[in-house]
């Protein structure tokens, strides 16, 4: 393959590469076989006209697009490998030259990984982070378990009180018009939880079952739906049912029901132990993050816009997958929150920048220190994975592609790099 590259500007390279006439002709032939039955040629049964006849009838270029789409991914990857360029974003690819019987010439504008100039990354000093577990923390955790295990009892003889669960139907109106997302039926609203707009829940206190209540509120200025932010609204609410929580006694019976322990003292001691372990892990994680943040601050690099946009694409894609499990797609989410795709993507810019910065700097430190993960380390990690996923080790290895194995090795090397930086840091 003939490959040329030209530096257009910092972190932007023009890559020129070609696909041989023979390979292009093979791709055209595949496109013809795949699509032959789509063409009606006089004198031939559908799908039986020879390729040359189809090309003569519909022009020689009839199969070009599909042939190019078939060839391009592998050709581009081969060109990158041959030129030694590391791309960090989707390229802009054009067909430069295409003629029958001749090589097809492509050009690609490729955003390359920026160079990193490292500052100090050993001997980093950070303040010690500590989290103390108090008796109040332990009690709050136990009370949360108590609340979780409460029974809901229907109340018929009194009005709504703070802490009750009101089962309501509601519809919101702004300037006399119902608005999107302002309607619900059979909604369980805990009074005093702060779930709804400020002032909404308080106006239900005192209402009884089957009451119709008109709730007047003002949406916050920073409300996520721009068309409602700062506006007055009226909600028509029907109280269908009132429920209260019946909390269990915090005694030995409760402890035995919600834990593996027989007494409340043992349960309380276990809660404290769990919270203290969580506090230690939180402090450790935040200390490590503070150290890595300083290493990033000490380094110099420029993140290309295309690289930032590509990382935002990844974050948005992950977000879309998460909300899909809740039966929602991005269009529905945008409508519900009153956002545009532009404002939605903008909120992830700092997150994307931080992720890229960490990746670039840690890769640079890894390269500088020559940190690698040996076969034994990879094997141990695979053993752990097999236990986690309850798979036989050999079957796990068979299921993992070459790219996935390289990713596992790379992740281990980055973790070793983080460990090296943290172990060389000073916590005051």
């Amino acid at each position: 393959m003939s490959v040329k590259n030209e530096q257009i500007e910092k972190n932007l390279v023009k890559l020129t590469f070609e696909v041989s006439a023979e390979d292009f002709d093979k791709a055209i032939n595949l496109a013809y076989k795949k699509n032959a039955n789509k063409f009606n040629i006089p004198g031939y049964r559908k799908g039986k006209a020879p390729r040359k006849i189809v090309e003569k009838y519909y022009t020689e270029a009839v199969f070009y697009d599909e042939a190019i789409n078939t060839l391009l991914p592998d050709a581009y990857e081969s060109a990158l490998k041959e030129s030694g360029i590391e791309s960090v974003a989707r390229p802009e690819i054009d067909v430069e030259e295409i003629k029958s019987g001749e090589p097809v010439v492509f050009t690609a504008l490729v955003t390359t990984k920026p160079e990193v100039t490292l500052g100090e990354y050993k001997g980093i000093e950070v303040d010690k982070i500590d989290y103390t577990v108090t008796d109040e923390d332990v009690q709050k955790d136990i009370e949360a378990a108590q609340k979780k295990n409460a029974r809901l009892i229907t109340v018929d003889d009194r009005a709504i009180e703070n802490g009750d669960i009101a089962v309501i139907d509601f519809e919101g109106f702004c300037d006399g018009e119902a608005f999107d997302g302002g309607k619900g039926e059979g909604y369980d609203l805990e009074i005093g939880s702060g779930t709804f707009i400020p002032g909404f829940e308080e106006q239900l206190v005192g209402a009884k079952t089957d009451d119709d209540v008109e709730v007047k509120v003002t949406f916050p200025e920073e409300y996520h739906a721009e068309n409602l932010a700062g506006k007055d609204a009226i909600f028509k609410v029907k109280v269908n049912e009132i429920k209260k929580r019946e909390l269990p006694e915090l005694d030995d019976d409760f402890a035995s029901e919600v834990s593996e322990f027989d007494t409340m003292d043992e349960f309380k001691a276990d809660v404290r132990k769990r919270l203290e372990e969580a506090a230690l892990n939180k402090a450790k994680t935040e200390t490590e993050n503070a150290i890595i943040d300083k290493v990033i601050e000490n380094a110099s690099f420029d993140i290309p816009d295309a690289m930032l946009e590509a990382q935002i694409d990844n974050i948005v894609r992950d977000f879309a997958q998460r909300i899909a499990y809740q039966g929602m797609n991005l269009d529905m989410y945008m409508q519900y929150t009153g956002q545009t795709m532009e404002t939605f993507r903008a909120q992830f810019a700092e997150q994307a920048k931080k992720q890229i910065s960490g990746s670039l700097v840690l890769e640079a430190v890894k390269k500088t220190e020559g940190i690698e993960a040996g076969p034994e380390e990879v094997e141990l990690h695979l053993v752990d994975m097999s236990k986690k996923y309850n798979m036989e080790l050999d079957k796990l290895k068979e299921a993992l592609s070459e790219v996935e194995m390289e990713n596992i090795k790379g992740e281990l090397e980055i973790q070793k790099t983080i460990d090296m930086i943290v172990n060389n840091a000073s916590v005051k």
Side-chain angles (χ1 to χ4, degrees), residues 55-166:
E55 289 176 333
K56 184 177 181 181
Y57 197 83
Y58 286 94
T59 76
E60 193 176 64
V62 64
F63 298 116
Y64 280 6
D65 284 348
E66 185 156 344
I68 288 170
N69 289 336
T70 300
L71 287 169
L72 190 53
D74 287 342
Y76 173 65
E77 288 300 322
S78 296
L80 285 179
K81 187 176 291 187
E82 187 168 324
S83 63
I85 292 173
E86 188 169 2
S87 174
V88 293
R90 188 185 297 275
E92 294 179 23
I93 300 181
D94 290 314
V95 180
E96 193 75 8
E97 187 177 332
I98 181 169
K99 292 180 182 177
S100 178
E102 295 185 15
V104 183
V105 181
F106 298 94
T107 60
L109 286 177
V110 183
T111 303
T112 59
K113 180 178 282 190
E115 291 186 9
V116 177
T117 302
L118 291 171
E120 290 294 328
Y121 60 85
K122 290 183 178 178
I124 299 296
E125 292 186 356
V126 295
D127 293 330
K128 186 177 182 180
I129 298 173
D130 272 325
Y131 289 101
T132 303
V133 175
T134 65
D135 291 341
E136 184 181 358
D137 294 329
V138 174
Q139 188 61 28
K140 281 183 179 179
D141 194 274
I142 292 172
E143 288 174 357
Q146 181 189 34
K147 186 175 180 180
K148 184 178 178 181
N149 287 274
R151 289 196 307 152
L152 288 178
I153 308 297
T154 298
V155 177
D156 295 320
D157 59 349
R158 65 167 175 80
I160 295 173
E161 296 177 358
N162 202 45
D164 285 343
I165 307 294

Side-chain angles (χ1 to χ4, degrees), residues 217-282:
V217 295
T218 301
F219 283 95
E221 292 290 343
E222 66 279 6
Y223 194 66
H224 53 67
E226 292 181 7
N227 60 315
L228 298 174
K231 289 192 174 182
D232 294 331
I234 293 174
F235 282 85
K236 294 181 180 179
V237 181
K238 174 66 177 290
V239 179
N240 297 318
E241 190 178 3
I242 303 169
K243 299 177 183 179
K244 70 172 182 178
R245 284 192 176 89
E246 188 177 80
L247 299 174
E249 291 291 330
L250 294 178
D251 53 19
D252 291 346
D253 288 340
F254 172 77
S256 63
E257 286 179 10
V258 301
S259 74
E260 61 188 68
F261 303 100
D262 296 325
T263 69
M264 195 64 194
D265 287 341
E266 290 175 307
F267 176 54
K268 188 177 290 187
D270 184 68
V271 169
R272 180 176 289 277
K273 179 182 177 183
R274 174 171 52 79
L275 291 178
E276 287 176 345
E277 287 175 352
L280 282 172
N281 289 332
K282 182 180 180 182

Side-chain angles (χ1 to χ4, degrees), residues 356-388:
I356 294 170
S357 299
S359 177
L360 288 173
V361 172
L362 290 171
E363 282 284 347
V365 174
K366 184 189 84 167
K367 186 176 180 181
T368 300
E369 293 290 324
I371 295 173
E372 294 185 355
E376 301 85 358
E377 292 169 294
V378 174
E379 184 75 10
L380 283 173
H381 184 75
L382 292 176
V383 169
D384 289 339
M385 284 181 66
S386 68
K387 291 176 181 176
K388 180 180 178 181

